[in-house]
Amino acid sequence: MKTRAILIDDEKSCIETLSWQIKTYCPDVTVVAVCQNAREGVQAIQQNKPDIVFLDIEMPRMNGFEMLEQFEEIDFEIVFTTAYDQFAINAFRYSALNYLLKPVDPDDLVLTLKRFHDRTHGVTKGQIDLLLEAVTQRTAPAPQRLALSMSDGMIFVEPSEIMYCQADRNYSLVKLVDGKKVMVSKSLKEFDETLPSRDFFRVHNSYLINLNQIRKFVRGDGGYVVMNDGTEVTVARLRRDEFFALFDKF
């Protein structure tokens, strides 16, 4: 069965381009409706019961966030299409909600739809609340919680609860302080760009560690850190000076 999609964007050219990209690169997706304002979007969603909605944020009269408030329950996947700045992009990452930057790159579109097919759950109210919290409090350095999408659902954690993140191809293994391990369909690069740099450092191509969870540094064997859970992580030679500069030495 094909995935049913609705496109909502006040710019006709954006709708036409995205429609063509979906038809060309995502043959398993059928666009069942296109809308150029949020009110039309609400009606189209109610009538067509889509699997996924590509939603622009900045629209006149009613923006994408206000449109979502019209639904008591969101039983469809959302992909935000946006030209937002880096602050807002980090907000999407914290909430584990999908987004596509305009102009949409076909490779990003294909990857986003792959992630959609891999998920076994839809959007949660907690994700939407987390996103709105982040984009409406722009003076905050970072949201206080991070949504981690798992195969069977979603958990919300504070960055301080993360011990380290380990790269696994296009996925990341997140080890929590309490010992729980979560495989997330996000690259390590995305975690590196999202988590606060004052607390997290990429010591190696495969590891992003919580600096507050380091037990000691060992100079032997090329140099490595021992985390509070006993995990030993190599510090890449090219990143060693930058790593040492983060700490006061006595």
Side-chain angles (χ1 to χ4, degrees):
M1 182 180 296
K2 285 196 171 185
T3 299
R4 295 163 55 82
I6 289 178
L7 315 186
I8 306 172
D9 197 313
D10 64 311
E11 297 182 54
K12 185 178 179 180
S13 61
C14 290
I15 285 182
E16 291 176 344
T17 299
L18 185 55
S19 295
W20 179 86
Q21 289 177 320
I22 290 174
K23 182 178 180 180
T24 304
Y25 300 104
C26 309
D28 58 337
V29 178
T30 299
V31 176
V32 297
V34 296
C35 309
Q36 286 191 251
N37 63 66
R39 295 195 183 280
E40 289 180 3
V42 171
Q43 294 175 353
I45 291 170
Q46 293 171 338
Q47 292 171 2
N48 293 279
K49 305 298 182 185
D51 301 302
I52 189 167
V53 173
F54 291 84
L55 178 61
D56 184 28
I57 296 175
E58 288 297 327
M59 293 184 288
R61 291 182 291 280
M62 183 190 300
N63 65 34
F65 297 139
E66 292 167 336
M67 193 205 83
L68 292 176
E69 292 175 351
Q70 306 301 306
F71 297 91
E72 290 186 7
E73 181 181 359
I74 298 175
D75 56 0
F76 49 87
E77 188 72 23
I78 304 166
V79 177
F80 290 99
T81 56
T82 178
Y84 260 35
D85 59 22
Q86 186 60 45
F87 182 95
I89 295 308
N90 280 346
F92 290 123
R93 289 172 174 164
Y94 262 82
S95 62
L97 287 166
N98 289 313
Y99 67 93
L100 289 170
L101 287 177
K102 295 180 179 179
V104 174
D105 182 281
D107 291 338
D108 291 339
L109 173 63
V110 171
L111 180 58
T112 295
L113 286 168
K114 180 183 183 303
R115 286 174 174 169
F116 161 71
H117 289 301
D118 288 345
R119 290 169 68 140
T120 58
H121 59 87
V123 173
T124 69
K125 186 177 184 299
Q127 286 176 275
I128 298 296
D129 291 344
L130 187 54
L131 175 63
L132 294 177
E133 172 190 327
V135 298
T136 57
Q137 298 179 0
R138 298 180 61 88
T139 56
Q144 298 302 305
R145 295 173 298 148
L146 179 70
L148 299 179
S149 179
M150 304 180 297
S151 60
D152 61 347
M154 184 90 54
I155 63 171
F156 296 86
V157 302
E158 296 180 7
S160 61
E161 296 179 76
I162 296 175
M163 178 76 64
Y164 61 79
C165 303
Q166 181 181 4
D168 188 347
R169 290 167 294 182
N170 290 326
Y171 292 79
S172 295
L173 177 67
V174 180
K175 175 70 177 295
L176 302 180
V177 173
D178 65 5
K180 186 178 182 64
K181 294 182 179 180
V182 183
M183 185 65 75
V184 182
S185 59
K186 299 287 185 183
S187 69
L188 193 62
K189 181 176 184 293
E190 291 177 277
F191 276 102
D192 193 11
E193 293 174 346
T194 303
L195 290 169
S197 58
R198 67 179 182 276
D199 296 320
F200 288 84
F201 184 77
R202 191 162 179 177
V203 294
H204 189 277
N205 284 339
S206 297
Y207 278 91
L208 176 70
I209 64 172
N210 186 340
L211 297 171
N212 301 305
Q213 290 294 328
I214 296 174
R215 180 183 301 168
K216 64 179 178 179
F217 173 80
V218 180
R219 295 186 183 278
D221 297 327
Y224 61 92
V225 294
V226 180
M227 306 301 292
N228 281 334
D229 68 344
T231 301
E232 298 178 357
V233 182
T234 299
V235 179
R237 182 174 57 82
L238 294 177
R239 300 183 182 181
R240 205 164 298 162
D241 289 344
E242 185 180 356
F243 172 73
F244 286 139
L246 298 172
F247 302 94
D248 292 327
K249 304 178 186 64
F250 295 92

